[in-house]
């Protein structure tokens, strides 16, 4: 397999005179022929999607279907698998909107919603049609064993979906580890510049991808061609961005561990982190997302006011370093827990800024 940088840029091909970098195809409708043409209407298919889906599918080793957002991808997989009288299993510490779709929309239809903590022992999978895991989880950065959970899910007759948003397709390849679906919010590191919402589902088989595609065509949760093109443009530099983000995260974690205001510093790439052993077995490389806890919500305010590089914003994986106090969104975490997403700033500038801002915390 070629290296990550080579795989991310791909190799443009074409006839002489054709564009090396074609722009987005914005047409909603296509010339009709005898019926075997690949595109006929923009809700069913578009060449800009095809290019993006081929690139992501190749990185993940499966069949990719692009969606308008990460939540469009998550809710499509949940709706595809959930049936009244059966169960779906979800992480209790995973992305909170995925849990809301299950509890607010599926449970009233007679679907049992079972939750389990990512780092805890798994719930029973008996009677489940789908097990959704998130590893590393958002925001806790806990890790679970994809291969073991895939085996357990399959034994119970359930499919396994892995929300791979935090890891990225370069950080982790769940399909070779046994997953049936990889779900991602490409809004985060893949598009990577904080200017587009996008998502995808990559399936282990063409048959599953066909079902997911049919649901997308009927449900209409389709990405715009321009957004797809922007995300594909971002993908080209994913390897470069991840490299700097991971280096920055590592340096920040080491600095945070020395500072008395920061507690419970977590990053799966850190050898002393309790997630490191499983993470290093199934992850290929690290990324820029870490977490730590300040003594209070007020301390977080002081830290963010004092920093000139850390942007207070939700979302992660962008070029600017950002931090989000997750308790404000209702996550069941301490008031002062910050998820921090290291950007691509110079490492020394970032560490100096963060340590300087932590020195200004007076609780
Ligand atoms: C952000 C996120 C989502 C939702 O993605 P959107 O693109 O915002 O719809 C789903 N899962 C995880 C882990 C996320 O971080």
């Amino acid at each position: 397999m070629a290296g990550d940088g080579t795989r991310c840029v791909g190799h443009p091909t074409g006839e002489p005179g054709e564009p090396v970098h074609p722009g987005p195809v914005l047409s909603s409708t296509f010339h009709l022929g005898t019926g075997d043409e690949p595109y006929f209407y923009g809700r069913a298919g578009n060449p800009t999607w095809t290019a993006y889906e081929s690139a992501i599918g190749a990185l993940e080793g499966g069949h990719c279907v692009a969606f308008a957002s990460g939540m469009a991808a998550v809710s499509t997989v949940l709706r595809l698998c959930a049936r009244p009288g059966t169960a779906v299993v979800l992480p209790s510490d995973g992305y909170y909107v995925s849990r809301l779709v299950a509890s607010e929309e599926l449970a009233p239809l007679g679907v049992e919603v079972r939750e389990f903590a990512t780092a805890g022992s798994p719930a029973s999978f008996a009677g489940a049609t789908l097990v959704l895991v998130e590893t590393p989880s958002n925001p806790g950065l806990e890790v679970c064993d994809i291969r073991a959970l895939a085996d357990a899910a399959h034994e119970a007759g359930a499919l396994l979906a892995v929300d791979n948003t935090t890891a990225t397709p370069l950080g982790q390849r769940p399909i070779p580890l046994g997953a049936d679906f990889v779900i991602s919010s490409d809004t985060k590191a893949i598009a990577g510049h904080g200017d587009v919402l996008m998502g995808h589902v990559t399936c282990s088989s063409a048959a599953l991808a066909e079902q997911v595609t049919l649901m997308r065509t009927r449900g209409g949760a389709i990405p715009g061609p321009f957004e797809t093109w922007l995300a594909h443009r971002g993908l080209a530099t994913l390897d470069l961005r991840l490299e700097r983000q991971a280096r920055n995260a590592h340096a920040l974690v080491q600095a945070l561990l020395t500072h008395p205001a920061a507690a419970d510093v977590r990053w799966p790439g850190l050898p002393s982190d309790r997630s490191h052993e499983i993470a290093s077995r199934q992850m290929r490389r690290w990324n820029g997302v870490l977490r730590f806890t300040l003594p209070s919500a007020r301390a977080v305010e002081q830290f963010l006011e004092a920093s000139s590089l850390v942007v207070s914003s939700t979302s992660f994986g962008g070029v600017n370093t950002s931090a989000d106090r997750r308790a404000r969104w209702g996550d069941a975490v301490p008031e002062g827990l910050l998820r921090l997403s290291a950007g691509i700033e110079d490492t020394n500038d970032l560490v100096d800024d963060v340590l300087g801002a932590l020195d200004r915390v007076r609780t």
Side-chain angles (χ1 to χ4, degrees):
M1 194 156 69
D4 286 356
T6 309
R7 297 193 305 134
C8 279
V9 292
H11 180 64
T13 52
E15 298 300 319
E18 286 179 358
V20 173
H21 301 290
V25 175
L26 298 172
S27 189
S28 59
T29 188
F30 296 82
H31 291 288
L32 295 176
T34 51
D36 56 357
E37 54 276 8
Y39 308 106
F40 62 96
Y41 186 58
R43 183 159 33 74
N46 170 295
T48 310
W49 298 355
T50 306
Y52 183 69
E53 292 168 342
S54 308
I56 300 269
L59 289 175
E60 289 184 330
H63 307 259
C64 173
V65 186
F67 278 90
S69 67
M71 280 319 303
V74 171
S75 50
T76 299
V77 170
L78 284 171
R79 280 192 290 121
L80 178 68
C81 297
R83 294 283 175 275
T86 66
V88 294
V89 184
L90 283 92
S92 57
D93 51 348
Y95 189 61
Y96 69 115
V97 188
S98 303
R99 303 203 321 269
L100 285 178
V101 171
S103 63
E104 301 298 312
E105 297 181 15
L106 300 181
L109 302 177
V111 178
E112 184 196 338
V113 179
R114 234 177 260 163
E115 296 195 344
F116 76 105
T118 300
S121 49
S124 157
F125 295 164
T129 53
L130 179 75
V131 176
L132 171 68
V133 302
E134 212 178 280
T135 179
S137 62
N138 172 19
L141 302 181
E142 302 288 1
V143 163
C144 57
D145 186 330
I146 295 174
R147 194 182 289 282
L149 289 167
D151 289 346
H154 294 157
E155 209 161 292
L159 297 176
L160 181 78
V162 176
D163 187 326
N164 206 40
T165 302
T166 312
T168 84
L170 299 185
Q172 185 165 271
R173 300 177 86 227
I175 287 176
L177 295 170
D180 303 283
F181 302 104
V182 178
I183 299 174
S184 166
S185 167
D186 303 352
T187 311
K188 316 290 167 55
I190 291 184
H193 294 73
D195 50 12
V196 58
L197 276 106
M198 189 75 195
H200 76 259
V201 177
T202 296
C203 307
S204 60
S205 72
L208 280 176
E210 197 175 317
Q211 293 183 53
V212 170
T213 304
L214 279 174
M215 286 195 79
R216 176 183 66 180
T217 304
R218 291 191 295 252
I222 56 159
F226 185 67
E227 283 71 17
T228 310
W229 179 80
L230 275 176
H232 200 163
R233 192 183 205 256
L235 178 66
T237 55
L238 179 61
D239 171 58
L240 289 176
R241 288 183 283 109
L242 270 190
E243 192 174 300
R244 175 65 69 84
Q245 287 167 344
R247 189 198 311 159
N248 283 349
H250 194 191
L252 282 177
V253 161
Q254 282 170 325
L256 287 166
L257 287 170
T258 66
H259 201 284
D264 198 22
V265 182
R266 298 289 308 273
W267 186 60
L270 192 72
S272 60
D273 193 282
R274 62 175 179 270
S275 294
H276 185 75
E277 198 236 313
I278 299 176
S280 51
R281 237 188 296 140
Q282 69 191 12
M283 291 183 71
R284 303 173 66 243
R285 57 191 288 184
W286 311 117
N287 57 65
V289 187
L290 59 102
R291 75 167 228 229
F292 59 100
T293 303
L294 295 179
S296 62
R298 176 82 192 112
V300 169
E301 266 170 45
Q302 291 169 338
F303 167 72
L304 292 171
E305 268 164 33
S307 164
S308 52
L309 292 181
V310 182
V311 182
S312 172
S313 67
T314 194
S315 198
F316 56 90
V319 290
N320 293 100
T321 296
S322 66
D324 189 14
R325 191 175 69 81
R326 291 304 301 177
R328 75 186 293 160
W329 306 109
D331 280 356
V333 296
E335 281 296 316
L337 184 143
L338 267 181
R339 182 190 64 212
L340 187 142
S341 170
I344 61 169
E345 298 89 349
D346 287 280
T347 309
N348 290 341
D349 292 340
L350 192 56
V351 170
D352 288 351
D353 177 78
V354 166
L355 284 179
L358 284 176
D359 285 343
R360 304 272 290 280
V361 170
R362 302 269 175 277
T363 46

